[in-house]
Amino acid sequence: MSFRDANIIVIETSRTHIRAGVGLYDLLKTPTIEIPARVGIRRPGEGVDVVEQKSTIKADGASKSRLSTLPQYAVSNVTLKDYLVGTQLDEALASGQDILVSWPFADNDVRDWTQAEVLWKYVIFNQLQRRRTQNESPVLLSIAAGLSRSTYERICQMFFERFNVPGFAVLERPIAQIYAANSLSGVVVDIDEEKTDVTAIYENFVVHHACSTVSIGAKECRHYLAHLLKSNTSVMQTLSPASNPLDQDALHHTLLDLVKQVLDDGLIKVPSDGEAAVAEDEGVTDIAAVVVAGKERAVIESGMKKKLTAKASAAEQARAREIEALDLVTIQFRGQEVTLGKERHRFCEPLFNPSLLNGIPGIPPRTVYEHFWSLQDVVGHTVGLADVDQRQYIWQGLVVTGDITRRVKGIGIALQSRLAPYLSQPDLITDVQPRVIRVLSVPEYYAEYRETGNGCAGFLGSSITAKIVFNDSNGKNYVSKGDYSNKGPHAIIEMTPALL
């Protein structure tokens, strides 16, 4: 059987976020639901056992360990209704209540099944307004790669028995992310809040022995830039003047808020090693291409700017060039004007040189960061774990994704330029010798995704897959209710190509 596109649900579950939407159309839409993948519970009184489950991080920064330092609590005698999630949890935390917050997917696995059920149930029934009785919405769930078969079976059982779905399919997130970039082979670099996962993919399948994780993510980059801004005299005079200085903790938190605003405003880019200069516009414009790309306004504004510049005096033009060279931006922050310079573009430096994080305030001393591998070393090592004849195809698709790519442009290009040493003997011509590294992104023709970078690549790839899977009249790539009735949870194993 096949299902109506309007009823299909797509749920993408990452370490720290859940994105979801209902309905697939010719113009694939961005997720309508996006929540942190966390649950909370009010701290119980005496007589109730509370255990904080802490993960341990290995000293090797390029370890395959998925374990996270995000908190995880186990509370005895707890039920689904005891947990807070979504806006209810946000409001409880904002009001200063004593809440134990857990991240059940932070290890790229399922830490706690009750908490996982709470989150998925909230998304399907509360946010997407589905009804458990007569549920007509099949679900495609994209989740971490490399989960055990027993985990797949338990997830399948939950969705059929607890959520009453009429059909269910599972897709590994890195596969979804590379689908969104219009490729079947490549290496996916997924930068999350405190982890970066690197996954090699060859011909539609994850190369499971070629997957690595480094314990650096967006959080470390934010703390690093906040630390750099302390050297900006203009910023310090504005936020912590000598007449009324902030203490160190308050100053660091203020600078973190400033960094967040700069990120949200899209004022950070990542210069690459040897990045080519942008070609000058020679006055010839492909109008059709501009309209298709939705860039009419940018072209018009650029033309007006050139006309104004042409009319400006020599002194004004010289001053404009000076400001452009300094790359200054001024923003409104807490009722004050704050001017930032080029240091904001150093945001991603810790990814490429983790030793810069040593001694940075706000970053827990998990280990000595100079022992951590750089992102380019992790990627090179990961691709090197794949078979020799697969590597040239894997290098043909470098996809850098994660929420950070929605706001920071150029990470993929910067990483590409640093990976050149891993193309060993580039002048040697053989059948298996990789010659170039291609950076892939979500194509421009996905109009709804033009402003999201690669940040929603996992959801887009999952939507593309769901459109194919649930319209398959043979039903060979998803579990129907009839399949589940006949074979039970094991049906997901037979219907998931990655597990065969």
Side-chain angles (χ1 to χ4, degrees), residues 248-314:
Q248 288 302 307
D249 286 343
L251 174 61
H252 191 70
H253 282 92
T254 299
L255 290 172
L256 282 175
D257 289 342
L258 175 60
V259 169
K260 182 179 183 303
Q261 181 172 328
V262 172
L263 271 173
D264 291 342
D265 290 346
L267 299 176
I268 295 174
K269 63 181 180 180
V270 185
S272 66
D273 290 350
E275 184 175 358
V278 177
E280 290 292 330
D281 182 6
E282 298 178 354
V284 179
T285 303
D286 185 342
I287 300 298
V290 169
V291 172
V292 170
K295 296 179 179 178
E296 305 96 316
R297 181 177 178 182
V299 171
I300 293 170
E301 290 177 350
S302 176
M304 293 174 65
K305 182 178 179 181
K306 288 178 182 177
K307 290 179 181 178
L308 292 173
T309 301
K311 294 178 180 178
S313 66

Side-chain angles (χ1 to χ4, degrees), residues 190-357:
D190 189 4
I191 306 172
D192 207 304
E193 181 66 7
E194 58 153 24
K195 294 281 187 175
T196 298
D197 297 305
V198 181
T199 308
I201 298 169
Y202 177 70
E203 289 297 325
N204 208 32
F205 288 94
V206 170
V207 184
H208 286 289
H209 62 273
C211 301
S212 302
T213 298
V214 63
S215 297
I216 298 176
K219 179 177 69 175
E220 283 76 13
C221 294
R222 291 196 302 272
H223 283 287
Y224 175 70
L225 181 53
H227 178 69
L228 288 182
L229 290 176
K230 293 177 182 177
S231 301
N232 185 315
T233 305
S234 173
V235 171
M236 293 299 291
Q237 288 177 348
T238 303
L239 300 182
S240 183
S243 59
N244 186 25
L246 298 174
D247 63 59
Q248 288 302 307
D249 286 343
L251 174 61
H252 191 70
H253 282 92
T254 299
L255 290 172
L256 282 175
D257 289 342
L258 175 60
V259 169
K260 182 179 183 303
Q261 181 172 328
V262 172
L263 271 173
D264 291 342
D265 290 346
L267 299 176
I268 295 174
K269 63 181 180 180
V270 185
S272 66
D273 290 350
E275 184 175 358
V278 177
E280 290 292 330
D281 182 6
E282 298 178 354
V284 179
T285 303
D286 185 342
I287 300 298
V290 169
V291 172
V292 170
K295 296 179 179 178
E296 305 96 316
R297 181 177 178 182
V299 171
I300 293 170
E301 290 177 350
S302 176
M304 293 174 65
K305 182 178 179 181
K306 288 178 182 177
K307 290 179 181 178
L308 292 173
T309 301
K311 294 178 180 178
S313 66
E316 289 172 335
Q317 290 184 33
R319 177 56 180 163
R321 285 194 295 270
E322 181 182 351
I323 293 174
E324 186 175 356
L326 292 172
D327 198 5
L328 300 177
V329 295
T330 300
I331 64 173
Q332 289 290 330
F333 176 71
R334 296 184 177 178
Q336 297 175 296
E337 285 192 349
V338 180
T339 301
L340 305 174
K342 289 183 178 180
E343 72 275 354
R344 69 186 188 277
H345 300 315
R346 299 177 62 186
F347 177 81
C348 288
E349 282 186 353
L351 295 171
F352 307 121
N353 184 7
S355 65
L356 295 173
L357 292 171

Side-chain angles (χ1 to χ4, degrees), residues 58 76 128 166 216 368 412 461:
K58 298 180 182 179
S76 61
L128 298 180
I216 298 176
V368 180

